[in-house]
Amino acid sequence: MAGLIRRSDIDEVRSRTNLADIVGDYVTLKSAGVGSMKGLCPFHDERSPSFHVRPQVGFYHCFGCGEGGDVFTFLQKMDHVTFSEAVERLAGRLGYTLHYEDGASAADQGNRSRLLAANAAAEKFFREQLSTEAAEPGRRFLGERGFDSAAAEHFSIGFAPNSYDALGDHLRGLGFTAEELLASGLQGQGDRKPYDRFRGRLVWPIKDVTGQTLGFGARKLLESDNGPKYLNTPETPVYSKSKVLYGLDLAKRDIAKGKQVVVVEGYTDVMACHLAGVTTAVATCGTAFGSDHITIIRRVMGDVANSDSHGLGEVVFTFDPDEAGQKAASRAFADEQRFAAQTYVAVAPDGLDPCDLRLQRGDDAVRLLVQGRKPMYEFMVRRRLDTFDLETVEGRVAALRATAPIVAGIRDESLSIGYSRTLAGWIGIDPAEVTQAVRSARRAPSGGSSAASTAARSTSPAERTAGDAPDADPVAPVIGIAQLPNDPVTRLERELLMALLQHPDEIGRDTAVRALHTTFTQPALATVRDALLTSIESYSTPEWARRVTDEAPPAFQPLVTQLAIAPLPIRAGRVAEYCAGVTTSLIERDLLRRKTELLGALQRTDSTADPERYRDLQRQLVELEVERRRVRGD
C-alpha cells in the first residue's frame, strides 16, 4: 500500500482544482452573488437551493443540512472514496504526479495506473466479444436467467474467447507488457509462455466505488472447461477480493441515500435485484462476507456509531437455506454488532436465490423478498431453537440458555424487552424467567455489547486508509452561524470575518491585522478571530481559508467554513466599498471603546498629584483621534 501523500502535494492538487468544476459534475450551480454559486444540495432533498460553493475560497456548505468541506471532502461524500483516493483521482485528472512519504510509492502509483488501464482495456475487449458467434453460449446463459442485451450492457458483461492468448495478444498490441499482464492477473505463466486466465467464460468486471475495473469474475460455460464454476482474478496490487463488493459502483448512491444495503451471494443475484428495483444490492467476490466488507459498507452507508439505534440504516442479508447459507448467516451474525445499523435476513420461499426468484415469479417477488426481511436476531433465535426439543423440560431449559445471550446482545432496550417476551412464548417458559436469563447473560463477560460502542471501535487507526483523517468526536458541540446571536454587534463581527475570509485581496494585510486585534464580544467569533491571527502568514494566498480552518478547534471548523461560504450583502461592483466599510466600522467601534476608557481614566486622575500620568493619557487621546481620522480617511 502506498504511504501517506505528501502534504505539499495535497495542497498543490487542491490549489490547482476548481471546486466549481468538480461540484458541477453533480450539481447544477448558478451565480449567488460576488464569487459565490449555489444549487440544490446533493446530500439532502430540498426545493429551494441552500447549497453554496465559493470556488476562490475552495469550500462548499449547505445551510440546510450542514454538510460542508473542500473538494476532497466533497468527493469522499459523493463517491464514498477515502481521502487518499480522492486526492489520487484529482491528481490523475490534473496529470499531476504525487509523491509519498515512504519515497517509493510514486512508482507504485504509476504501476497501479497501468494495471487499471490494462483492466479497462480487457473489459472493453470482453464486452466486444459478447456479440461474436463464439459467445453464443454466454448469451444463452444470460437469456435463460432472464437477462437481455440491455442488462448485459448495463452491467458491462463480456465474454472471454476460448483461446490460449487472444486477450494477451490484443493487450500487447495496445502497448501493455507481459509483466503488466501477469501482474494484473489477466494472464498466468504457462510452461512455455503466458496464457489468458479467462477462456470460454462469461465475464463480469469487478469495480471499485469510482467505477474503475479492478478485476473480473468469470462463469464456466463449456463442458470442456475443467476449471471451477466461478473463477476470479487473483490477488493483485489493485484487486483484493476481501476488500471489494460487486455492484457497489452502481449501488453506492442509493445505499447512501436510502441508508440500506442488500447483501446477496452472486453476480446474477445482484443483477436480478437491480433490474427488479432493489438497486442497493451488492455481493462478495469469491469469498465470505467479512470485516473489510463491513468497513466498506459502513463508509458508503454513513453508518455512524450511535447509542440510539432508532432511525439508523438497514443491512439486509440474503442466504440460501442450505448448509452453506446457514454457515454464512452464522458468520454474518458474529460480526453483526460491528454495524450501528439494524441487520436483517431475507430468505426466499422454496430456497430460491434472487435470480431464480425473479425468473420464476417476477420482479415483484424480489422486492417483496426484501420488504419481508426478518430482524437478524429473530432469524438467529429461531435457527437456534430449531436444534432443541421444546416438548421436554430439559430441551426448553437448554434452549433458553442458548438463546438468552442472543437477546441480551440487542442494543435497543425496548426491542430486547419485546424479544424476551416473544422468546418466552416460543419456548413456553414464564416471561420472568426469560427476562432474568437475559439479564444474567448481559452481565456475563461474554454477553452482548452495545453495537454502537462496538461499531465505534470497529475502525481502528490501523484500518484507516493512509491519508484519511480520523472522524470527529461525535459528542463534541459544533458551532455554526445559526447558533450565533443576531444583534448588530455580533453581525458586524461576523461580517468582518466573512469579508476577510472571502475577499482578502480587497483588505490590506496591515488593516486586516488591525481589525483582528480589536475586541470581539461574541466568544465563538473571537475563537475564529484567533485562528485568523494565527494563520496571518497565509493571508490572501490560495490556502488562506484552509489554514484558518486547520488552526481552529475542531468544534469551530464548521463555523469557519460557513463564514467562508455564506453570501455577504454586497451589491455588484461594490466589493471593495463593502469590505472597507465593515472593516472601518469595527475598528472605529474599538477606537470609540478605547476613547471612552481613556476619558474615564483621565477624569479619575488628579493632574496635580500625578501630572505625568495625566499628560500620558492626554497624549493617548490625541493619538487615538489621529488614528480615528486616518481610518475614516479624513
Side-chain angles (χ1 to χ4, degrees):
M1 176 180 288
L4 294 173
I5 302 170
R6 290 182 186 174
R7 170 57 63 181
S8 58
D9 280 357
I10 295 173
D11 293 342
E12 186 67 22
V13 170
R14 183 190 291 112
S15 66
R16 291 192 188 188
T17 302
N18 187 319
L19 176 61
D21 290 343
I22 303 302
V23 175
D25 290 339
Y26 304 84
V27 180
T28 300
L29 297 173
K30 297 181 179 180
S31 176
V34 180
S36 180
M37 308 179 80
K38 67 179 179 179
L40 292 175
C41 180
F43 302 111
H44 80 289
D45 292 328
E46 62 176 2
R47 294 186 178 182
S48 299
S50 56
F51 182 79
H52 288 256
V53 177
R54 194 168 287 276
Q56 290 183 327
V57 177
F59 283 135
Y60 68 89
H61 185 81
C62 177
F63 291 91
C65 67
E67 289 284 0
D70 63 5
V71 67
F72 301 135
T73 310
F74 183 81
L75 282 181
Q76 283 181 270
K77 293 181 178 179
M78 286 301 299
D79 288 337
H80 311 291
V81 296
T82 64
F83 177 81
S84 294
E85 290 168 341
V87 177
E88 289 168 353
R89 282 184 60 185
L90 291 176
R93 180 180 176 127
L94 295 168
Y96 182 85
T97 301
L98 295 173
H99 302 86
Y100 297 77
E101 294 296 342
D102 60 14
S105 296
D108 293 343
Q109 177 64 17
N111 183 52
R112 175 183 172 87
S113 299
R114 290 292 294 171
L115 299 186
L116 291 172
N119 282 331
E123 178 191 335
K124 182 180 179 182
F125 174 80
F126 291 143
R127 293 176 68 177
E128 291 172 348
Q129 294 299 311
L130 187 60
S131 61
T132 64
E133 182 178 349
E136 194 278 332
R139 295 192 297 273
R140 184 171 64 249
F141 175 91
L142 292 172
E144 290 172 350
R145 285 155 180 77
F147 305 125
D148 57 16
S149 59
E153 181 71 20
H154 180 69
F155 292 96
S156 305
I157 298 172
F159 176 76
N162 190 24
S163 169
Y164 190 84
D165 60 356
L167 174 64
D169 283 346
H170 174 74
L171 294 180
R172 281 189 292 271
L174 295 177
F176 293 99
T177 65
E179 290 75 14
E180 289 170 340
L181 299 185
L182 289 172
S184 68
L186 293 169
Q187 286 200 306
Q189 182 59 56
D191 293 336
R192 292 176 298 169
K193 64 175 184 176
Y195 62 90
D196 290 349
R197 184 174 301 279
F198 307 116
R199 303 188 301 276
R201 288 177 173 253
L202 201 62
V203 180
W204 285 263
I206 300 169
K207 304 184 179 186
D208 65 10
V209 291
T210 69
Q212 296 184 110
T213 300
L214 308 178
F216 299 89
R219 210 284 186 184
K220 176 180 177 180
L221 297 172
L222 307 176
E223 291 295 332
S224 59
D225 189 340
N226 296 320
K229 183 176 179 180
Y230 279 95
L231 180 65
N232 285 72
T233 296
E235 297 287 308
T236 74
V238 300
Y239 177 76
S240 176
K241 63 184 179 181
S242 65
K243 297 180 179 179
V244 292
L245 288 164
Y246 176 72
L248 188 59
D249 58 310
L250 299 174
K252 63 180 180 181
R253 296 283 176 80
D254 289 340
I255 290 174
K257 184 177 181 179
K259 299 295 183 184
Q260 182 194 72
V261 61
V262 178
V263 182
V264 299
E265 295 195 345
Y267 307 132
T268 56
D269 293 332
V270 170
M271 295 175 66
C273 285
H274 279 250
L275 295 175
V278 182
T279 55
T280 58
V282 297
T284 57
C285 302
T287 187
F289 187 84
S291 60
D292 286 329
H293 298 124
I294 293 174
T295 300
I296 294 169
I297 287 177
R298 293 191 67 226
R299 182 187 298 142
V300 172
M301 205 173 166
D303 185 39
V304 180
N306 194 316
S307 59
D308 179 7
S309 63
H310 293 293
L312 294 178
E314 297 182 353
V315 181
V316 183
F317 294 94
T318 65
F319 300 114
D320 292 338
D322 58 16
E323 183 178 353
Q326 296 301 307
K327 288 182 179 179
S330 296
R331 286 193 297 268
F333 181 69
D335 284 329
E336 187 274 342
Q337 291 207 344
R338 291 195 60 192
F339 287 107
Q342 296 294 309
T343 54
Y344 297 84
V345 175
V347 178
D350 302 326
L352 299 174
D353 59 33
C355 180
D356 289 336
L357 183 64
R358 175 176 178 264
L359 189 62
Q360 295 185 23
R361 305 188 184 184
D363 291 347
D364 287 344
V366 177
R367 291 191 291 269
L368 289 173
L369 167 65
V370 177
Q371 293 171 12
R373 65 202 180 282
K374 300 291 185 183
M376 173 73 84
Y377 284 102
E378 178 180 332
F379 175 82
M380 294 305 298
V381 167
R382 286 188 172 277
R383 180 169 175 263
R384 194 68 60 86
L385 289 179
D386 288 342
T387 63
F388 296 96
D389 181 3
L390 301 182
E391 297 300 321
T392 67
V393 173
E394 293 81 3
R396 290 194 291 272
V397 172
L400 178 59
R401 290 173 178 168
T403 54
I406 299 176
V407 177
I410 299 176
R411 53 184 167 273
D412 188 310
E413 185 176 355
S414 299
L415 280 177
S416 180
I417 293 172
Y419 269 107
S420 295
R421 293 171 181 165
T422 301
L423 180 59
W426 287 341
I427 299 178
I429 290 182
D430 185 274
E433 292 183 37
V434 175
T435 299
Q436 182 59 42
V438 170
R439 287 176 179 170
S440 298
R442 187 174 289 122
R443 290 193 297 268
S446 59
S449 63
S450 166
S453 61
T454 304
R457 295 192 301 268
S458 65
T459 305
S460 67
E463 290 178 298
R464 297 190 189 107
T465 303
D468 285 354
D471 293 336
D473 183 353
V475 299
V478 176
I479 309 299
I481 288 180
Q483 283 74 50
L484 298 176
N486 198 33
D487 59 274
V489 173
T490 300
R491 283 201 304 273
L492 178 60
E493 294 173 357
R494 183 189 71 207
E495 290 182 11
L496 169 75
L497 296 178
M498 291 169 66
L500 291 174
L501 285 167
Q502 297 178 24
H503 302 286
D505 293 338
E506 301 293 346
I507 304 171
R509 176 169 166 170
D510 291 343
T511 303
V513 172
R514 174 65 186 86
L516 289 172
H517 275 102
T518 61
T519 299
F520 275 59
T521 60
Q522 212 294 316
L525 294 177
T527 300
V528 175
R529 180 272 316 273
D530 293 342
L532 266 73
L533 283 171
T534 305
S535 311
I536 202 66
E537 292 301 321
S538 299
Y539 186 72
S540 196
T541 68
E543 289 296 308
W544 166 234
R546 162 62 50 184
R547 297 298 184 215
V548 176
T549 304
D550 291 343
E551 289 293 339
F556 294 84
Q557 289 177 355
L559 177 57
V560 176
T561 301
Q562 293 177 37
L563 292 171
I565 294 294
L568 283 163
I570 304 177
R571 295 178 181 177
R574 309 286 288 276
V575 179
E577 180 181 342
Y578 175 87
C579 290
V582 70
T583 306
T584 299
S585 296
L586 195 72
I587 295 176
E588 282 193 312
R589 187 194 72 177
D590 191 61
L591 291 174
L592 179 61
R593 176 189 60 80
R594 288 178 55 197
K595 181 178 181 179
T596 301
E597 292 174 353
L598 287 172
L599 287 173
L602 190 68
Q603 291 176 354
R604 294 189 297 271
T605 301
D606 189 331
S607 59
T608 303
D610 193 353
E612 185 174 347
R613 172 169 171 73
Y614 192 83
R615 286 193 298 272
D616 182 60
L617 290 172
Q618 287 183 318
R619 177 182 57 78
Q620 291 184 52
L621 280 168
V622 171
E623 291 176 350
L624 191 145
E625 181 62 21
V626 171
E627 182 179 3
R628 187 185 68 83
R629 291 183 178 182
R630 179 179 59 79
V631 168
R632 297 182 61 178
D634 293 345

